[in-house]
Amino acid sequence: MEAGEILVRSGLIDSRQLDQTRAQANGHGDGTRLIEAAISLGFVTEEAALRAVGEQVGIDYIDLTETEVDLTLLKNFPPKLIHRQSLFPIRRDHGQLVVATSNPFDLYPLDEVSAATGFSVMPVLAARNEIAKLIKKHLGVGSETVEGLVAQAVEEEGLELLSDIETDGSELSEMAQEASVVRLVNEILLEAIESRASDVHIESQSSGISIRYRIDGLLQQQPVPPEINRFESAIISRLKIMARLNIAEKRLPQDGRMKLKVSGREVDVRVSVIPMIHGEGIVMRILDKGSMKFELRAIGMEADTYQTFRELIDLPHGIVLVTGPTGSGKTTTLYSALIEINTPDVKIITTEDPVEYQLEGINQIQVHAKIGLTFAQSLRSILRHDPDIVLVGEIRDLETAENAIQASLTGHLVFSTLHTNDAASAYTRLTDMGVEPFLVASTVEGVMAQRLVRRLCPKCKTTYEPTPDDVPADFPWEWKSGPIYKSVGCRECRNAGFKGRMGIYELMVTTNEIRQLAHDRVSSWKVMQHAMDQGMRSLRQDGWKKVMDGKTTVDEVVRNAKADHSLMMKK
């Protein structure tokens, strides 16, 4: 029976959907293509389709996330069949070798397994992406290339480099262009993008090459086969060529960027290469435009914080600051704010280092310190372009601070960032830079401090009852009215227990009292104390609120926001 008819007979799709599926498969009667088409159209899940086909042809379906796999079988299993046919040995069962496949319509490769291993083979069906995860986990990123498989066209890999390759004709550059190396590098990048990694760290150690992905703020080691070590120089050279860097220069740091197309969407990758003791280290920052949503309502602000911040960004003039350490989501918050207030009758100009995402309808300037185009210099020029709103990437020095203040005094709304630990410290930081306290007090309208915490995976989070020993001393038991959740890990979140991140926020509005405190150069601790007495929620308190709402865990809050000692003393 044809695959489409099996899906109809099983009640998974109707005849109209079958026609759409066949059209999507371009008229191919091939069962695999039909099922892939039905899945891509959203008519069925892969699991439901494979279960239905398996029942028809007499092959069991198994869930690999709940199946014990005998890894000793890998030793004598042909690697080429694992990679080319997506097969994976599961266990021995009464003298038979149980092998997982995701293609019930082509069992010929199983005959090859039987011939190669000498065992009778019993096929079982499993989801393709679960088999792929097993291959990556137990054979490592890039294992397919290490087995010596030559590359297919780059476009078939799902990754395309959107710039020309320039080589110097040297032996090293020729080696970096070999098909197997190209495929290996593409696989590393693809896996990182599919894993939602923000950064890829490729490090040269005495024991060989190490690959780590930063996912939701935490570095995760990727398994790599030991044979990959002999590709080390070729991998680094290939990445330098893609980023248009000098592959012969191995003594000085270099920075570049590459533009990729993955599954139809553009991805920017910033590349930094630094020479280290055992070789060059590469860190790549992945800027995936397609997966980014700059929506102020969606980044984690509580309703009251959003409302107050919205009022701040609607002011006609003044300075609004967002503070926090590197990687705390300041740029995302500011971009989301700009998009929210961007209308045809408003001119917005930004000066950034670097421009991370290109925003439609907003004029963005890339800072080039080497040629004298600094934040301060570009800000002076920006004001001659008659903007209504200005974003300065970061206030780093007195000159930039004075220009930002001058811009706000001449009727512009200025957004910028500072590296401070909390909102109150922003006032003292500007004063310490050399800005007159009365200017700080009269121009800064509000300061938002923020951090990022990981969101609990909604599929697998589970409730638990913490004891006083499980939580820190400042845990607000009086707020607790429902369950507290902890992370578990499932297929949806790749067993991390978390999926994505959100902000925790501390929004300090410059009231008349705070203006007076800033003018009097009062310590940031006293400013903070006053704001909290007036009802401001600290970073830690905002984190606890998200714990009570079941959005994150106690550990995440403790890891990202320090305790409010003033509150603890009051207790």
Side-chain angles (χ1 to χ4, degrees):
M1 189 185 296
E2 182 244 359
E5 293 173 15
I6 293 173
L7 296 180
V8 172
R9 183 166 290 190
S10 303
L12 296 174
I13 62 173
D14 56 34
S15 55
R16 181 182 57 80
Q17 290 171 326
L18 177 58
D19 292 338
Q20 287 179 253
T21 300
R22 285 179 173 150
Q24 176 86 353
N26 294 325
H28 286 281
D30 175 67
T32 306
R33 289 214 187 181
L34 275 168
I35 286 178
E36 285 175 354
I39 293 167
S40 71
L41 288 167
F43 296 153
V44 292
T45 63
E46 184 179 17
E47 180 178 341
L50 288 179
R51 282 187 187 277
V53 173
E55 281 178 23
Q56 188 66 38
V57 298
I59 303 177
D60 288 339
Y61 177 90
I62 62 169
D63 185 344
L64 286 180
T65 60
E66 298 173 1
T67 302
E68 189 109 10
V69 177
D70 184 355
L71 297 176
T72 62
L73 298 174
L74 286 172
K75 189 187 290 186
N76 299 313
F77 200 88
K80 66 177 183 179
L81 291 174
I82 291 177
H83 298 302
R84 287 179 182 163
Q85 306 295 343
S86 287
L87 304 179
F88 204 91
I90 303 299
R91 62 178 181 273
R92 278 205 197 96
D93 198 353
H94 302 299
Q96 286 187 308
L97 183 63
V98 179
V99 177
T101 176
S102 62
N103 188 352
F105 304 102
D106 182 13
L107 302 179
Y108 174 73
L110 298 172
D111 295 335
E112 289 188 61
V113 172
S114 184
T117 61
F119 286 103
S120 168
V121 173
M122 182 171 78
V124 290
L125 294 177
R128 180 185 295 271
N129 68 322
E130 295 300 336
I131 295 176
K133 282 179 191 173
L134 269 186
I135 294 171
K136 288 273 191 318
K137 182 177 179 182
H138 298 297
L139 297 175
V141 175
S143 56
E144 182 173 358
T145 306
V146 174
E147 289 299 332
L149 298 178
V150 294
Q152 300 155 1
V154 176
E155 287 77 11
E156 289 176 26
E157 282 284 299
L159 185 146
E160 179 185 352
L161 183 65
L162 298 179
S163 59
D164 295 330
I165 289 288
E166 292 181 6
T167 62
D168 58 8
S170 67
E171 185 181 343
L172 194 58
S173 70
E174 292 305 314
M175 184 180 171
Q177 295 305 99
E178 285 181 11
S180 56
V181 175
V182 171
R183 185 182 178 90
L184 175 51
V185 169
N186 286 351
E187 190 174 338
I188 291 168
L189 289 168
L190 270 172
E191 176 69 10
I193 292 164
E194 286 168 6
S195 302
R196 299 181 297 105
S198 60
D199 301 85
V200 179
H201 294 242
I202 300 177
E203 297 154 331
S204 301
Q205 311 283 357
S206 58
S207 56
I209 197 168
S210 159
I211 299 177
R212 295 189 287 174
Y213 297 157
R214 190 177 292 281
I215 301 171
D216 290 337
L218 292 183
L219 279 172
Q220 297 182 14
Q221 187 78 40
Q222 299 303 303
V224 292
E227 296 87 351
I228 205 173
N229 291 329
R230 54 195 184 86
F231 287 86
E232 182 179 336
S233 60
I235 290 169
I236 290 170
S237 296
R238 169 66 184 168
L239 287 166
K240 286 166 84 171
I241 288 169
M242 291 171 77
R244 304 174 79 84
L245 300 176
N246 180 359
I247 65 168
E249 179 55 77
K250 298 187 177 185
R251 299 167 303 164
L252 294 172
Q254 296 187 73
D255 294 310
R257 67 193 304 161
M258 61 180 89
K259 193 168 282 201
L260 309 173
K261 194 171 223 177
V262 180
S263 305
R265 69 179 193 267
E266 284 189 14
V267 177
D268 278 339
V269 181
R270 290 211 315 264
V271 182
S272 176
V273 185
I274 298 181
M276 300 193 182
I277 294 174
H278 298 292
E280 290 175 288
I282 292 188
V283 175
M284 293 177 282
R285 167 63 57 91
I286 295 170
L287 305 168
D288 187 350
K289 301 174 189 174
S291 68
M292 284 300 295
K293 287 194 175 80
F294 296 113
E295 294 176 25
L296 213 46
R297 288 182 182 274
I299 57 178
M301 286 185 200
E302 299 296 328
D304 55 345
T305 305
Y306 168 80
Q307 191 59 46
T308 307
F309 190 64
R310 192 71 178 75
E311 289 168 11
L312 277 178
I313 65 177
D314 277 332
L315 290 172
H317 54 78
I319 297 176
V320 176
L321 296 171
V322 178
T323 79
T326 303
S328 58
K330 300 187 297 294
T331 301
T332 302
T333 299
L334 286 174
Y335 278 4
S336 301
L338 290 182
I339 286 171
E340 183 130 338
I341 58 179
N342 184 26
T343 55
D345 58 341
V346 171
K347 177 151 184 170
I348 302 174
I349 306 181
T350 76
T351 174
E352 306 169 60
D353 182 23
V355 173
E356 292 198 0
Y357 295 95
Q358 292 167 25
L359 306 176
E360 190 66 34
I362 292 173
N363 305 281
Q364 295 170 278
I365 298 169
Q366 169 74 57
V367 166
H368 286 290
K370 286 180 183 174
I371 58 170
L373 185 58
T374 60
F375 281 126
Q377 178 62 44
S378 58
L379 187 48
R380 277 198 295 272
S381 302
I382 283 172
L383 296 181
R384 290 196 283 273
H385 271 244
D386 187 30
D388 298 291
I389 297 164
V390 176
L391 165 65
V392 183
E394 184 186 341
I395 294 179
R396 294 177 181 168
D397 52 41
L398 175 60
E399 190 182 5
T400 309
E402 286 179 336
N403 285 343
I405 283 169
Q406 192 58 41
S408 73
L409 290 172
T410 52
H412 303 87
L413 182 60
V414 180
F415 293 106
S416 193
T417 69
L418 273 177
H419 285 291
T420 62
N421 289 326
D422 54 38
S425 300
Y427 303 94
T428 52
R429 175 63 54 86
L430 289 172
T431 306
D432 291 344
M433 279 182 186
V435 181
E436 290 292 340
F438 76 89
L439 287 174
V440 175
S442 60
T443 56
V444 176
E445 297 294 339
V447 185
M448 171 90 85
Q450 68 177 78
R451 300 288 188 279
L452 291 177
V453 294
R454 293 184 292 170
R455 287 181 192 267
L456 276 165
C457 173
K459 296 279 186 185
C460 65
K461 67 180 183 180
T462 185
T463 59
Y464 83 114
E465 269 306 318
T467 66
D469 292 336
D470 295 333
V471 295
D474 66 318
F475 183 79
W477 291 99
E478 65 276 12
W479 293 3
K480 186 176 179 301
S481 59
I484 303 292
Y485 291 86
K486 65 179 179 180
S487 61
V488 180
C490 66
R491 183 193 308 180
E492 285 287 318
C493 60
R494 297 185 171 224
N495 290 315
F498 299 91
K499 197 168 185 185
R501 289 189 289 175
M502 63 182 167
I504 55 174
Y505 301 94
E506 174 181 290
L507 179 55
M508 184 177 290
V509 178
T510 313
T511 60
N512 289 335
E513 293 89 348
I514 288 176
R515 285 190 204 281
Q516 189 62 50
L517 293 173
H519 179 274
D520 296 343
R521 303 187 75 149
V522 169
S523 71
S524 60
W525 183 83
K526 286 190 175 174
V527 174
M528 183 77 168
Q529 185 92 44
H530 174 81
M532 291 180 71
D533 287 344
Q534 298 303 308
M536 185 190 81
R537 218 173 18 246
S538 69
L539 282 168
R540 185 89 154 188
Q541 290 173 329
D542 200 47
W544 291 141
K545 192 164 190 327
K546 288 174 171 62
V547 169
M548 303 303 174
D549 293 341
K551 296 174 182 174
T552 191
T553 64
V554 171
D555 289 344
E556 277 296 292
V557 174
V558 171
R559 187 170 66 85
N560 288 284
K562 67 177 186 178
D564 304 314
H565 294 295
S566 56
L567 281 182
M568 291 171 70
M569 285 189 284
K570 282 183 181 179
K571 286 185 176 183

